[in-house]
Structures are given as structure tokens and as C-alpha cells.
């Protein structure tokens, strides 16, 4: 395939980023650029500033020089633009800048990611070339994008209008018309990182076909570690992610309260952190480390006994699991959403309740032979199923197939 001109369109991009979607966009952009493709990233700086409350990024992430990064911002109208785009489902004051950028570079591929605050579904109709959309969350079928019903449980029966009001968000009336269906007609391929996400979109009436392409971890994450049998990591168990109730960090407190000999380490920050610290204030075996950069996080993964992912709602993927696997560290995941998929190839344990979580933790702590077997499986799983090389091969294959479908030469 010839070298491509690709534009990634995403609301958030590191370091102006909150979750795994921006991290993945950065990794994909840099991997494609390393192959010689011309990669641009268009992101919305106003959106980050509005949601961050004016604070600066916690971790400064260096950009790869081969990737061209363009931040959209409006010094005086930025917040108004976000509100109107959210409510109308289309880009407003930044529409001209987006269209001009697309026209200036005439991209072969426009790859949309998290577009919730960049212009809603109508942004998908802008520009030309092959259009891809990665469904990082449930935004197209859930106004709050996380399917966390009334702020207390995973959604099993839709009540979107009342749930939106409960989340203190204004209703988006464009969701009750044909805006999504009409915008989908402009897209060549929708991609979901998990089979669960594919099926969840289908079950909730998403009006387009979705294909499955898992996320990946960079090859560099895996090359430092061999296949030899590792010794178990230190005694601590690791939580990495946003400290929010729906991520379930509080569900770990009681289990570790029963076992003061075991250590629990939280990495991340979020609006739930204050309450979480209160829950653990009398526990000497719980530590809060805040946000860490890649180098610090890599060391924490490698030295952990296991990473725990206790999310209470439907994760569409779980980069934390792959990042742990790449260091040979097992994972313990709640049996919900996409998380069980990630450990089908080995390297982890799933659980349904606190008793099963406790049993898994104790087994990993006390049975070194079992730990070593899971460690070997984790490395094998990530290399065989979630490698950068495999992802790029499939990704470029998707682009090639889409080009052939509309008669564009390679």
C-alpha cells in the first residue's frame, strides 16, 4: 500500500486527555507515522480546558515529531461553542476551521474517534476520503456515553431521558431524530475494540454495521521482557485509572481491610478520590500515588503482584489489562463488559462478587506457581492477540478494502 495521509479527529489528545481513548489515538498515530504515513491529529483544546476546570495536564506527554498536532481553540467563544455543539449535534463556530483543514491537506483517510464535543454526529459528514470511526465508548447509543444508569448501576433497561437529567446534563433532542442514521451514511467503516462493544451497539439500535478490531500496546512495551519464568512481583495489588465510582475502586476497600498483610496501590485521580481516601483513611495498607508518567507506570506494573480492574459498568475495552500483560503481570477483572474478553487468551482471572475477588487475590499472593503460569500466559496473550504489528496490518487492510469498495487505487 502507498503511504497515506491520515487525519485523526478526536476531542481529547495527550497531554490534554482524561482516559484511554486519547492514549490509544496517540499510540496509533505514532505507529502509523513510524511506518512513513503522514499523520495529523485534530483535537479540541477548549473541551479539555472546560472539563479540567482550568487545571493543566497532570503529566506532560512528549509528542512524536512525525505527527502533526493541530489544536482547535476559540479564546472567547470556546465554552459557548462546546455547549451549542453538544446541544445541536453539529459543529458550529469551529466548522469552518475543520473544513479548511480537511480541504488544505486532502487526506486519504479521516479517522474519527471521540467526537462528542467536536461537533456531534454531523462532523462525520465533513471532508472527503475514506472515513473510519472508532467507537471508544457508548456515546452513539448513550447520552452519558458510559451506560451508568442513574449514577448507581450498569444500564440494563434504557431510560435515557430521565437518566440524562439525573446526570445533570441537558437533553440532546437530536438523538430522538435521524441525526445519527443520516451521519452514518457518510462513514465507510465503524470499528469497535471489543466484540462486546459490537454486540452492545447492535442491541441498542445503532444503525450501521460495526467491525471488531482490538486495540494494541506498542511493541516497545513487550520487547524488554523475555519468555523466561519471572519471579512474582512485590506484594502490592494495583489499580490504574480514573478514580470515579463507576470504575469501582471503592469495592476493593473492604477486601483489603480484611487482609492488612496485603497492599493496595491506587494510581490515578478523579472526582471520587476524596471520598475514596476517606473510606481508606484508617488503612495502612492502602496507598494513593496520583497520576504517573509512562516510565513510572511501567515500573509499577512490572513490580505489582497483579492489576485489578473492578469496573461496575460496561468497559468497551481495557488498555490497563494489556499494559499489565506486556510486563508479564496478571490481571484480575470484573466479569462485565469487554473485560472478560481480554483474558480469554490467558493471563487473568475474572470474578463476579467480592468473595471471588478475595479468592483470586489470595491465590495470586500465595500460589507462586500459579502466578508464574499466568505471567507467561499474559505475555503470550498480548503478543499473539494485541500486538502493534497485528493491529496495523488489520487497520491498513480495512483502509485498503474501503478504498477498493469505492474504486480508489492503492
Amino acid at each position: 500500500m502507498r503511504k497515506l495521509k491520515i487525519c485523526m479527529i478526536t476531542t481529547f489528545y495527550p497531554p490534554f486527555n482524561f482516559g484511554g481513548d486519547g492514549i490509544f489515538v496517540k499510540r496509533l498515530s505514532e505507529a502509523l507515522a513510524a511506518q512513513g504515513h503522514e499523520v495529523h491529529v485534530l483535537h479540541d483544546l477548549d473541551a479539555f480546558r472546560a472539563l479540567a476546570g482550568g487545571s493543566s495536564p497532570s503529566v506532560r506527554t512528549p509528542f512524536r515529531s512525525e505527527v502533526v498536532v493541530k489544536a482547535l481553540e476559540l479564546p472567547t467563544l470556546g465554552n459557548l461553542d462546546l455547549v451549542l455543539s453538544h446541544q445541536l449535534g453539529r459543529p458550529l463556530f469551529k466548522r469552518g476551521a475543520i473544513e479548511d483543514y480537511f480541504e488544505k491537506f486532502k487526506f486519504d483517510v479521516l479517522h474519527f474517534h471521540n467526537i462528542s464535543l467536536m461537533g456531534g454526529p454531523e462532523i462525520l459528514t465533513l471532508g472527503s476520503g475514506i472515513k473510519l470511526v472508532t467507537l471508544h465508548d457508548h456515546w452513539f447509543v448513550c447520552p452519558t456515553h458510559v451506560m451508568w444508569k442513574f449514577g448507581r448501576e450498569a444500564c440494563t433497561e434504557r431510560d435515557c431521558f430521565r437518566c440524562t437529567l439525573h446526570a445533570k446534563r441537558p437533553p440532546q433532542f437530536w438523538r430522538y431524530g435521524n441525526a445519527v442514521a443520516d451521519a452514518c451514511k457518510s462513514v465507510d467503516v465503524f470499528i469497535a475494540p471489543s466484540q462486546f462493544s459490537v454486540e452492545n451497539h447492535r442491541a441498542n439500535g445503532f444503525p450501521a454495521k460495526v467491525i471488531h478490531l482490538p486495540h494494541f500496546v506498542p511493541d516497545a512495551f513487550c520487547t524488554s521482557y523475555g519468555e523466561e519464568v519471572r519471579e512474582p512481583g512485590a506484594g502490592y495489588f494495583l489499580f490504574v485509572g480514573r478514580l470515579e465510582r463507576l470504575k469501582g475502586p471503592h469495592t476493593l476497600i473492604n477486601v483489603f481491610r480484611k487482609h492488612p498483610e496485603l497492599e493496595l496501590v491506587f494510581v490515578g485521580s478523579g472526582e471520587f478520590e476524596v471520598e475514596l481516601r476517606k473510606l481508606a483513611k484508617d488503612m495502612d495498607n492502602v496507598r494513593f500515588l496520583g497520576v504517573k508518567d509512562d516510565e513510572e507506570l511501567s515500573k509499577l506494573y512490572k513490580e505489582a503482584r497483579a492489576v485489578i480492574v473492578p469496573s461496575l459498568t460496561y468497559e468497551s475495552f481495557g488498555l490497563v489489562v494489556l499494559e499489565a500483560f506486556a510486563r508479564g503481570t496478571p490481571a484480575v477483572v470484573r466479569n462485565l463488559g469487554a473485560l472478560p474478553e481480554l483474558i480469554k487468551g490467558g493471563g487473568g482471572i475474572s470474578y463476579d462478587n467480592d468473595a471471588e475477588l478475595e479468592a483470586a487475590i489470595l491465590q495470586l499472593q500465595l500460589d507462586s506457581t500459579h502466578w508464574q503460569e499466568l505471567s507467561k500466559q499474559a505475555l503470550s496473550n498480548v503478543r499473539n492477540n494485541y500486538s502493534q504489528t497485528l493491529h496495523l496490518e488489520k487497520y491498513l487492510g480495512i483502509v485498503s478494502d474501503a478504498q477498493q469498495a469505492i474504486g480508489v487505487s492503492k
Side-chain angles (χ1 to χ4, degrees):
M1 174 181 282
R2 65 180 176 86
K3 300 305 179 184
L4 299 169
K5 294 177 68 173
I6 304 170
C7 186
M8 305 289 180
I9 303 96
T10 178
T11 300
F12 305 110
Y13 190 73
F16 307 104
N17 177 68
F18 299 101
D21 55 340
I23 292 171
F24 174 77
V25 176
K26 182 175 185 291
R27 290 174 180 171
L28 177 58
S29 300
E30 293 182 349
L32 289 166
Q35 286 194 346
H37 301 287
E38 180 182 334
V39 183
H40 296 234
V41 175
L42 199 59
H43 72 102
D44 197 310
L45 194 53
D46 292 327
F48 174 82
R49 288 170 175 162
L51 272 63
S55 62
S56 299
S58 300
V59 176
R60 301 297 300 185
T61 305
F63 292 128
R64 191 181 180 100
S65 60
E66 295 93 333
V67 177
V68 180
V69 180
K70 171 69 172 177
L72 296 174
E73 57 182 325
L74 294 171
T76 59
L77 296 174
N79 286 344
L80 178 60
D81 180 65
L82 295 175
V83 171
L84 292 176
S85 294
H86 178 271
Q87 287 302 106
L88 300 176
R90 63 177 185 264
L92 207 64
F93 299 135
K94 293 171 183 167
R95 184 188 190 105
I98 295 169
E99 290 181 316
D100 289 347
Y101 200 80
F102 290 167
E103 177 62 26
K104 177 180 179 180
F105 292 99
K106 301 187 184 307
F107 295 103
D108 300 302
V109 179
L110 296 178
H111 189 164
F112 298 88
H113 296 272
N114 179 344
I115 55 171
S116 58
L117 295 176
M118 287 196 72
E122 192 172 300
I123 196 175
L124 302 179
T125 67
L126 305 186
S128 59
I130 298 301
K131 294 183 181 180
L132 311 178
V133 177
T134 292
L135 305 170
H136 291 275
D137 54 23
H138 314 290
W139 178 77
F140 276 99
V141 294
C142 171
T144 67
H145 76 85
V146 289
M147 302 198 73
W148 182 233
K149 192 170 184 178
F150 297 134
R152 63 172 181 259
E153 61 189 357
C155 180
T156 55
E157 185 175 352
R158 294 167 68 89
D159 192 353
C160 298
F161 190 83
R162 289 203 305 142
C163 188
T164 300
L165 295 179
H166 183 275
K168 299 179 180 178
R169 299 187 182 193
Q172 297 168 303
F173 291 103
W174 55 262
R175 288 183 176 273
Y176 301 93
N178 296 321
V180 172
D182 290 343
C184 285
K185 296 174 184 177
S186 298
V187 177
D188 295 283
V189 184
F190 284 92
I191 299 168
S194 65
Q195 191 59 46
F196 168 82
S197 186
V198 172
E199 295 167 0
N200 186 60
H201 278 81
R202 182 186 303 122
N204 283 285
F206 186 65
K209 179 182 178 181
V210 181
I211 67 170
H212 176 211
L213 176 62
H215 289 342
F216 68 92
V217 291
D219 288 342
F221 281 30
C222 302
T223 54
S224 300
Y225 309 109
E227 298 289 356
E228 69 277 0
V229 177
R230 276 185 58 198
E231 290 299 317
Y236 67 83
F237 290 80
L238 185 64
F239 173 99
V240 178
R242 299 196 309 279
L243 299 182
E244 298 179 8
R245 180 175 288 275
L246 60 84
K247 295 293 184 179
H250 57 292
T251 65
L252 306 180
I253 298 297
N254 285 339
V255 174
F256 281 84
R257 188 181 295 278
K258 293 170 61 177
H259 296 279
E261 75 280 8
L262 302 180
E263 187 176 14
L264 174 62
V265 174
F266 288 105
V267 172
S269 64
E271 59 186 22
F272 191 55
E273 183 174 353
V274 172
E275 186 172 344
L276 192 61
R277 284 180 177 271
K278 288 180 180 178
L279 291 174
K281 65 181 180 180
D282 60 339
M283 298 174 66
D284 294 332
N285 60 329
V286 177
R287 287 192 290 151
F288 294 85
L289 301 186
V291 178
K292 297 296 180 181
D293 62 28
D294 287 346
E295 185 176 350
E296 294 171 310
L297 190 54
S298 179
K299 187 173 185 292
L300 287 165
Y301 277 129
K302 187 179 179 184
E303 295 180 352
R305 195 78 178 194
V307 68
I308 306 177
V309 188
S311 293
L312 293 170
T313 192
Y314 309 116
E315 298 286 354
S316 59
F317 200 69
L319 280 177
V320 168
V321 175
L322 299 194
E323 290 172 355
F325 281 1
R327 277 76 174 193
T329 298
V332 181
V333 304
R334 190 178 295 276
N335 188 24
L336 188 67
L339 296 174
E341 285 182 47
L342 302 179
I343 64 171
K344 281 185 178 180
I349 302 172
S350 65
Y351 70 94
D352 288 301
N353 51 52
D354 287 355
E356 292 181 3
L357 170 61
E358 182 181 11
I361 289 171
L362 292 176
Q363 184 179 30
L364 288 170
Q365 180 67 22
L366 301 174
D367 189 343
S368 294
T369 300
H370 181 63
W371 186 96
Q372 289 173 334
E373 181 59 31
L374 285 180
S375 175
K376 291 169 61 179
Q377 291 175 7
L379 281 169
S380 177
N381 187 0
V382 76
R383 286 172 172 159
N384 292 336
N385 301 308
Y386 303 103
S387 73
Q388 174 179 314
T389 301
L390 180 62
H391 183 94
L392 292 184
E393 179 182 330
K394 292 182 176 180
Y395 179 91
L396 295 173
I398 290 170
V399 173
S400 178
D401 289 346
Q403 288 178 326
Q404 291 184 56
I406 63 173
V408 177
S409 60
K410 295 184 180 180

